[in-house]
Amino acid sequence: MSLLHRPAVRRALARHLLCHVEGAAGRFALTFDDGPSPRNTPRLLDVLERAGALATFFLLEHHVRRHADLVRRLVASGHEVGVHGRLHLWPAAMPTRALTWELRHTAAAIEAAAGGRPRLYRAPFGLLRPGQARAVRALGYEPVLGDIYPDDVHCGRPEQIVERVMARLAAGSIVILHDSSVLGDGDRGATTEAVERILREAAARGLTATSVSDLRGPGR
Protein backbone atom coordinates (compact mmCIF):
# COMPACT_ATOMS: atom_id res chain seq x y z
CA MET A 1 0.00 0.00 0.00
CA SER A 2 1.26 3.49 -0.83
CA LEU A 3 2.19 5.60 2.18
CA LEU A 4 -0.19 8.20 0.77
CA HIS A 5 -3.07 5.86 1.56
CA ARG A 6 -2.22 5.75 5.27
CA PRO A 7 -4.62 8.14 7.07
CA ALA A 8 -1.96 9.63 9.34
CA VAL A 9 0.37 10.34 6.41
CA ARG A 10 -2.41 11.85 4.32
CA ARG A 11 -3.52 14.10 7.20
CA ALA A 12 0.04 15.35 7.68
CA LEU A 13 0.52 16.08 3.97
CA ALA A 14 -2.88 17.75 3.65
CA ARG A 15 -1.72 20.50 6.00
CA HIS A 16 0.38 22.02 3.22
CA LEU A 17 -0.58 20.21 -0.01
CA LEU A 18 -3.90 19.85 -1.81
CA CYS A 19 -4.80 16.19 -1.41
CA HIS A 20 -8.61 16.12 -1.47
CA VAL A 21 -11.44 18.61 -2.00
CA GLU A 22 -14.29 18.52 0.47
CA GLY A 23 -17.80 19.28 -0.76
CA ALA A 24 -17.14 18.28 -4.38
CA ALA A 25 -20.38 16.39 -4.76
CA GLY A 26 -20.43 13.90 -7.62
CA ARG A 27 -16.96 14.80 -8.92
CA PHE A 28 -13.35 13.65 -8.66
CA ALA A 29 -10.16 14.74 -10.42
CA LEU A 30 -8.05 12.66 -12.78
CA THR A 31 -4.46 13.85 -13.07
CA PHE A 32 -1.54 12.73 -15.24
CA ASP A 33 2.17 13.40 -14.71
CA ASP A 34 5.30 13.52 -16.90
CA GLY A 35 3.77 14.36 -20.28
CA PRO A 36 2.78 15.29 -22.82
CA SER A 37 3.53 12.12 -24.75
CA PRO A 38 2.95 11.70 -28.51
CA ARG A 39 2.54 7.98 -27.86
CA ASN A 40 0.10 8.02 -24.94
CA THR A 41 -1.52 11.43 -24.50
CA PRO A 42 -3.61 11.34 -27.72
CA ARG A 43 -5.01 7.93 -26.76
CA LEU A 44 -5.92 9.23 -23.32
CA LEU A 45 -7.56 12.28 -24.86
CA ASP A 46 -9.72 10.02 -27.02
CA VAL A 47 -10.78 8.00 -23.96
CA LEU A 48 -11.60 11.14 -21.99
CA GLU A 49 -13.54 12.67 -24.88
CA ARG A 50 -15.68 9.56 -25.33
CA ALA A 51 -16.57 9.67 -21.64
CA GLY A 52 -17.17 13.43 -21.56
CA ALA A 53 -14.49 13.69 -18.86
CA LEU A 54 -11.87 16.33 -18.09
CA ALA A 55 -8.47 15.98 -16.45
CA THR A 56 -5.40 17.89 -15.31
CA PHE A 57 -2.01 17.18 -16.92
CA PHE A 58 1.16 18.10 -15.01
CA LEU A 59 3.81 18.66 -17.66
CA LEU A 60 7.60 18.38 -17.88
CA GLU A 61 9.40 21.25 -19.60
CA HIS A 62 11.38 19.23 -22.15
CA HIS A 63 8.23 17.39 -23.27
CA VAL A 64 6.38 20.72 -23.52
CA ARG A 65 9.06 22.20 -25.76
CA ARG A 66 9.18 19.12 -28.01
CA HIS A 67 5.42 18.64 -28.22
CA ALA A 68 3.85 22.09 -28.00
CA ASP A 69 1.13 20.94 -30.39
CA LEU A 70 -0.04 18.42 -27.79
CA VAL A 71 -0.11 21.11 -25.10
CA ARG A 72 -2.34 23.19 -27.35
CA ARG A 73 -4.57 20.18 -28.01
CA LEU A 74 -4.94 19.57 -24.27
CA VAL A 75 -6.09 23.13 -23.70
CA ALA A 76 -8.33 23.20 -26.77
CA SER A 77 -10.03 20.03 -25.51
CA GLY A 78 -10.90 21.74 -22.22
CA HIS A 79 -8.30 20.03 -20.06
CA GLU A 80 -6.11 21.79 -17.52
CA VAL A 81 -2.32 21.94 -17.68
CA GLY A 82 -0.07 22.40 -14.67
CA VAL A 83 3.64 22.49 -13.87
CA HIS A 84 5.57 19.34 -13.00
CA GLY A 85 9.14 20.56 -13.47
CA ARG A 86 12.26 20.56 -15.63
CA LEU A 87 14.58 17.77 -14.51
CA HIS A 88 12.23 15.69 -12.31
CA LEU A 89 14.48 16.09 -9.30
CA TRP A 90 13.21 15.49 -5.77
CA PRO A 91 12.19 19.00 -4.61
CA ALA A 92 12.27 18.15 -0.90
CA ALA A 93 16.06 17.82 -1.23
CA MET A 94 16.43 21.08 -3.21
CA PRO A 95 16.94 24.62 -1.95
CA THR A 96 13.75 26.63 -2.29
CA ARG A 97 15.51 29.00 -4.72
CA ALA A 98 16.29 26.10 -7.08
CA LEU A 99 12.72 24.85 -6.81
CA THR A 100 11.22 28.21 -7.73
CA TRP A 101 13.66 28.54 -10.65
CA GLU A 102 12.51 25.17 -12.00
CA LEU A 103 8.87 26.11 -11.52
CA ARG A 104 9.18 29.46 -13.28
CA HIS A 105 11.08 28.05 -16.26
CA THR A 106 8.59 25.24 -16.79
CA ALA A 107 5.62 27.59 -16.35
CA ALA A 108 7.11 29.91 -18.98
CA ALA A 109 7.41 27.03 -21.46
CA ILE A 110 3.81 26.00 -20.82
CA GLU A 111 2.56 29.56 -21.19
CA ALA A 112 4.42 29.93 -24.49
CA ALA A 113 2.83 26.73 -25.81
CA ALA A 114 -0.65 27.06 -24.34
CA GLY A 115 -1.15 30.80 -24.37
CA GLY A 116 -2.10 30.93 -20.70
CA ARG A 117 -0.33 30.79 -17.35
CA PRO A 118 -0.68 27.53 -15.42
CA ARG A 119 -1.96 27.82 -11.85
CA LEU A 120 -1.14 24.40 -10.37
CA TYR A 121 2.11 22.70 -9.44
CA ARG A 122 2.77 19.07 -8.61
CA ALA A 123 6.27 18.35 -7.38
CA PRO A 124 8.15 15.44 -8.92
CA PHE A 125 7.64 12.50 -6.53
CA GLY A 126 4.78 14.53 -5.04
CA LEU A 127 6.33 15.86 -1.86
CA LEU A 128 7.31 19.34 -0.73
CA ARG A 129 8.47 20.65 2.60
CA PRO A 130 5.93 23.00 4.23
CA GLY A 131 8.18 26.01 3.63
CA GLN A 132 8.49 25.09 -0.03
CA ALA A 133 4.72 24.82 -0.33
CA ARG A 134 4.41 28.34 1.09
CA ALA A 135 6.96 29.60 -1.44
CA VAL A 136 5.03 27.95 -4.28
CA ARG A 137 1.81 29.61 -3.16
CA ALA A 138 3.59 32.97 -2.85
CA LEU A 139 4.42 32.66 -6.57
CA GLY A 140 0.73 32.15 -7.35
CA TYR A 141 0.62 28.36 -7.77
CA GLU A 142 -1.36 25.81 -5.79
CA PRO A 143 0.78 22.79 -4.75
CA VAL A 144 -1.19 19.64 -5.56
CA LEU A 145 -0.58 16.07 -4.45
CA GLY A 146 -3.71 13.88 -4.35
CA ASP A 147 -5.16 11.11 -2.23
CA ILE A 148 -5.15 8.08 -4.56
CA TYR A 149 -1.90 6.74 -5.98
CA PRO A 150 -2.24 3.32 -7.66
CA ASP A 151 1.43 3.29 -8.77
CA ASP A 152 0.34 2.76 -12.36
CA VAL A 153 3.93 3.08 -13.60
CA HIS A 154 4.74 -0.29 -12.06
CA CYS A 155 1.43 -2.02 -12.82
CA GLY A 156 1.47 -4.18 -15.90
CA ARG A 157 -2.22 -5.04 -15.63
CA PRO A 158 -4.98 -2.45 -15.98
CA GLU A 159 -7.16 -4.53 -13.65
CA GLN A 160 -4.75 -3.83 -10.79
CA ILE A 161 -4.80 -0.09 -11.42
CA VAL A 162 -8.60 -0.08 -11.55
CA GLU A 163 -8.89 -2.10 -8.35
CA ARG A 164 -6.52 0.20 -6.45
CA VAL A 165 -8.34 3.34 -7.60
CA MET A 166 -11.91 2.15 -7.16
CA ALA A 167 -11.20 0.82 -3.65
CA ARG A 168 -10.60 4.43 -2.51
CA LEU A 169 -12.44 6.62 -5.00
CA ALA A 170 -14.90 9.11 -3.54
CA ALA A 171 -16.25 12.56 -4.30
CA GLY A 172 -13.40 15.04 -3.98
CA SER A 173 -10.64 12.50 -4.66
CA ILE A 174 -7.58 13.44 -6.72
CA VAL A 175 -6.16 10.43 -8.61
CA ILE A 176 -2.44 10.42 -9.54
CA LEU A 177 -1.60 8.67 -12.85
CA HIS A 178 1.06 9.00 -15.58
CA ASP A 179 0.93 9.49 -19.35
CA SER A 180 4.69 9.54 -19.92
CA SER A 181 8.07 9.36 -18.17
CA VAL A 182 11.08 11.57 -17.60
CA LEU A 183 13.24 8.78 -19.08
CA GLY A 184 11.49 8.44 -22.42
CA ASP A 185 8.11 7.66 -23.92
CA GLY A 186 7.28 4.21 -22.63
CA ASP A 187 3.96 2.58 -23.30
CA ARG A 188 1.21 3.58 -20.87
CA GLY A 189 -1.36 1.27 -22.42
CA ALA A 190 -2.26 -0.25 -19.05
CA THR A 191 -3.00 3.20 -17.65
CA THR A 192 -5.05 4.19 -20.69
CA GLU A 193 -7.15 1.03 -20.51
CA ALA A 194 -7.54 1.44 -16.76
CA VAL A 195 -8.78 5.03 -17.19
CA GLU A 196 -11.50 3.84 -19.55
CA ARG A 197 -12.70 1.33 -16.95
CA ILE A 198 -12.36 3.78 -14.05
CA LEU A 199 -14.53 6.33 -15.85
CA ARG A 200 -17.16 3.69 -16.56
CA GLU A 201 -17.23 2.35 -12.99
CA ALA A 202 -17.14 5.85 -11.51
CA ALA A 203 -20.12 6.88 -13.64
CA ALA A 204 -22.03 3.88 -12.28
CA ARG A 205 -21.39 5.33 -8.80
CA GLY A 206 -22.57 8.77 -9.89
CA LEU A 207 -19.07 10.27 -10.10
CA THR A 208 -17.73 12.38 -12.97
CA ALA A 209 -14.05 13.07 -13.69
CA THR A 210 -12.99 16.69 -13.97
CA SER A 211 -9.95 18.93 -13.59
CA VAL A 212 -8.43 19.89 -10.24
CA SER A 213 -9.45 23.54 -10.59
CA ASP A 214 -13.02 22.60 -11.49
CA LEU A 215 -13.09 20.28 -8.48
CA ARG A 216 -12.05 23.20 -6.25
CA GLY A 217 -14.83 25.38 -7.63
CA PRO A 218 -15.28 28.57 -9.70
CA GLY A 219 -12.64 31.21 -9.24
CA ARG A 220 -10.12 28.78 -7.74
Side-chain angles (χ1 to χ4, degrees):
M1 181 175 72
S2 167
L3 286 175
L4 181 59
H5 298 152
R6 296 184 183 275
V9 173
R10 192 164 62 247
R11 284 195 298 271
L13 293 172
R15 292 170 188 158
H16 62 283
L17 300 172
L18 180 65
C19 295
H20 184 96
V21 177
E22 298 297 332
R27 292 170 295 144
F28 70 100
L30 274 179
T31 69
F32 300 93
D33 290 357
D34 297 344
S37 154
R39 181 177 189 177
N40 304 298
T41 306
R43 291 187 292 172
L44 271 172
L45 288 174
D46 291 342
V47 168
L48 293 166
E49 183 178 8
R50 287 195 296 270
L54 295 177
T56 298
F57 291 79
F58 290 97
L59 309 179
L60 290 173
E61 183 188 8
H62 63 282
H63 288 325
V64 169
R65 294 194 184 279
R66 291 174 186 166
H67 311 298
D69 57 326
L70 274 177
V71 180
R72 288 189 286 271
R73 182 180 169 188
L74 285 169
V75 174
S77 299
H79 302 289
E80 181 173 38
V81 293
V83 176
H84 197 38
R86 299 190 75 220
L87 303 175
H88 208 282
L89 301 175
W90 188 38
M94 295 168 61
T96 298
R97 180 178 295 182
L99 168 65
T100 57
W101 182 82
E102 273 228 347
L103 196 162
R104 282 174 163 154
H105 273 261
T106 307
I110 292 172
E111 185 169 3
R117 182 176 182 270
R119 298 292 181 181
L120 304 179
Y121 171 67
R122 174 176 283 149
F125 307 104
L127 302 181
L128 291 171
R129 300 193 305 270
Q132 290 177 318
R134 288 193 294 272
V136 168
R137 287 193 174 94
L139 292 173
Y141 301 90
E142 179 66 21
V144 179
L145 180 54
D147 61 346
I148 300 177
Y149 178 51
D151 196 16
D152 60 312
V153 171
H154 299 109
C155 286
R157 297 184 299 108
E159 296 84 0
Q160 191 174 26
I161 301 171
V162 175
E163 180 181 351
R164 290 177 178 181
V165 171
M166 297 311 299
R168 296 173 175 85
L169 189 67
S173 289
I174 300 173
V175 183
I176 305 165
L177 296 165
H178 299 78
D179 62 332
S180 191
S181 167
V182 68
L183 299 175
D185 197 16
D187 181 29
R188 295 283 187 246
T191 296
T192 302
E193 186 175 339
V195 167
E196 191 162 19
R197 299 186 194 184
I198 289 165
L199 291 170
R200 188 165 56 245
E201 294 189 22
R205 295 188 189 181
L207 295 172
T208 301
T210 190
S211 65
V212 172
S213 289
D214 182 67
L215 194 68
R216 297 177 72 209
R220 301 295 297 277

